[in-house]
């Protein structure tokens, strides 16, 4: 996945440069285009691995670019960036062949994860956070490899998904982990139904962490979750 070539078409230059630099730091190559016409030209010249297209661009908008590309290339992943939030706009984007759709404002981290998801062979991002033998927080000892949460002499079995969520929360302990990032990493999509599933798993984890009141999974409204202890 490293050295993959991302074609980024975004006419808001300050945002474009931030995204480009962040992608460079992750090992991606980036070709930056300020409008849809340039994006089409660079696509034909450079054969990128993925397209990230702003919808509202001068000369040719992102929808037009995607429509023209899809006439000859059905496989290249396309992610739309847009300030449009109406359902009909999202539907139109997917009907034109979008693989993903990210509404502005967005976190660059979330965009990078979505790019990684599209570039992964099976369409799902493999979680790359390290798994230690055990983690300790508060009075708990957590073994992510065995899906076990120990409190004193009592061990509670976790499901694989519960263990994955707790592992990510611990890796990002004391910081807010975006709900969208969590969903995209573990489910591959931040759809409404996946979000409801995540809420259920968080509730179950909270119940299993009730023995030590100093350990909590905090819901940061509108953003995500934070493990504190």
């Amino acid at each position: 996945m490293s050295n993959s070539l991302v074609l980024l078409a975004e006419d808001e230059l300050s945002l474009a440069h931030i995204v480009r630099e962040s992608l460079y730091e992750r090992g991606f190559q980036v070709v930056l285009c300020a409008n849809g016409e340039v994006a089409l030209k660079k696509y034909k010249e450079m054969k990128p691995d993925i397209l990230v297209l702003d919808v509202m661009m001068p000369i040719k908008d992102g929808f037009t670019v995607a429509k023209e590309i899809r006439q000859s290339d059905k496989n290249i992943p396309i992610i739309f960036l847009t300030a449009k939030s109406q359902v009909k706009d999202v539907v139109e984007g997917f009907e034109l062949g979008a693989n993903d759709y990210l509404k502005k404002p967005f976190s660059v981290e979330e965009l990078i994860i979505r790019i990684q998801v599209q570039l992964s062979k099976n369409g799902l991002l493999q979680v790359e956070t390290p798994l230690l033998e055990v983690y300790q927080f508060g009075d708990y000892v957590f073994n992510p490899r065995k899906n076990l949460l120990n409190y004193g002499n009592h061990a509670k079995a976790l499901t694989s998904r519960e263990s994955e969520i707790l592992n990510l929360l611990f890796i990002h302990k004391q910081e807010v982990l975006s709900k969208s990032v969590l969903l995209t990493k573990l489910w591959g999509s931040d759809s409404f139904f996946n979000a409801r599933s995540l809420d259920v798993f968080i509730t179950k984890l909270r119940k299993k962490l009730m023995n030590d009141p100093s350990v909590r999974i905090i819901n940061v409204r509108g953003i995500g979750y934070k493990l504190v202890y």
Side-chain angles (χ1 to χ4, degrees):
M1 194 176 298
S2 60
N3 295 321
S4 295
L5 178 59
V6 179
L7 188 151
L8 173 62
E10 169 62 67
D11 65 317
E12 189 178 334
L13 292 182
S14 58
L15 172 61
H17 288 302
I18 290 171
V19 172
R20 181 178 63 179
E21 292 306 313
S22 298
L23 287 168
Y24 279 157
E25 291 174 0
R26 301 298 181 90
F28 291 95
Q29 300 179 56
V30 183
V31 55
L32 183 58
C33 307
N35 62 62
E37 188 171 82
V38 173
L40 269 175
K41 180 181 178 182
K42 292 296 183 183
Y43 160 77
K44 294 173 182 177
E45 291 177 355
M46 306 187 74
K47 300 298 180 184
D49 298 297
I50 187 169
L51 303 171
V52 180
L53 306 175
D54 183 28
V55 171
M56 300 177 69
M57 290 187 294
I59 306 178
K60 286 190 177 182
D61 62 39
F63 284 169
T64 301
V65 173
K67 185 176 181 179
E68 292 190 29
I69 288 174
R70 281 291 183 244
Q71 291 175 359
S72 59
D73 189 340
K74 305 295 185 184
N75 298 317
I76 187 169
I78 297 176
I79 298 176
F80 282 129
L81 306 177
T82 183
K84 294 183 176 183
S85 59
Q86 294 187 21
V87 174
K88 65 180 183 65
D89 297 315
V90 177
V91 171
E92 182 180 0
F94 282 114
E95 286 179 343
L96 287 171
N99 298 88
D100 206 347
Y101 202 107
L102 194 55
K103 297 176 185 177
K104 296 180 178 179
F106 58 86
S107 75
V108 177
E109 179 68 23
E110 181 179 354
L111 173 60
I112 291 172
I113 289 172
R114 288 172 183 255
I115 290 171
Q116 291 172 328
V117 168
Q118 295 302 326
L119 290 175
S120 59
K121 291 182 180 180
N122 59 1
L124 295 174
L125 176 65
Q126 302 300 314
V127 177
E128 297 173 355
T129 49
L131 280 177
L132 301 179
E133 289 298 327
V134 294
Y135 300 135
Q136 185 164 0
F137 45 91
D139 292 330
Y140 294 101
V141 176
F142 170 45
N143 188 324
R145 295 187 183 279
K146 295 183 178 179
N147 299 337
L148 287 177
L149 183 67
N150 293 280
Y151 178 78
N153 294 323
H154 302 283
K156 293 183 179 180
L158 304 179
T159 65
S160 295
R161 186 63 84 200
E162 288 171 344
S163 188
E164 289 172 337
I165 293 169
L166 188 56
N167 180 61
L168 282 171
L169 288 170
F170 182 84
I171 293 293
H172 297 275
K173 57 186 180 294
Q174 310 301 341
E175 64 182 79
V176 181
L177 184 58
S178 163
K179 190 172 184 178
S180 182
V181 168
L182 252 173
L183 288 166
T184 308
K185 278 192 173 185
L186 298 180
W187 275 270
S189 164
D190 61 353
S191 71
F192 172 79
F193 298 104
N194 289 340
R196 292 300 299 271
S197 296
L198 174 60
D199 292 339
V200 171
F201 282 115
I202 290 291
T203 298
K204 290 180 178 179
L205 280 173
R206 283 173 171 156
K207 289 180 179 179
K208 292 178 178 179
L209 293 169
M210 288 179 64
N211 290 326
D212 185 348
S214 70
V215 178
R216 293 178 295 155
I217 299 175
I218 297 175
N219 179 24
V220 182
R221 189 173 181 82
I223 302 177
Y225 297 102
K226 179 179 181 180
L227 177 66
V228 298
Y229 54 90

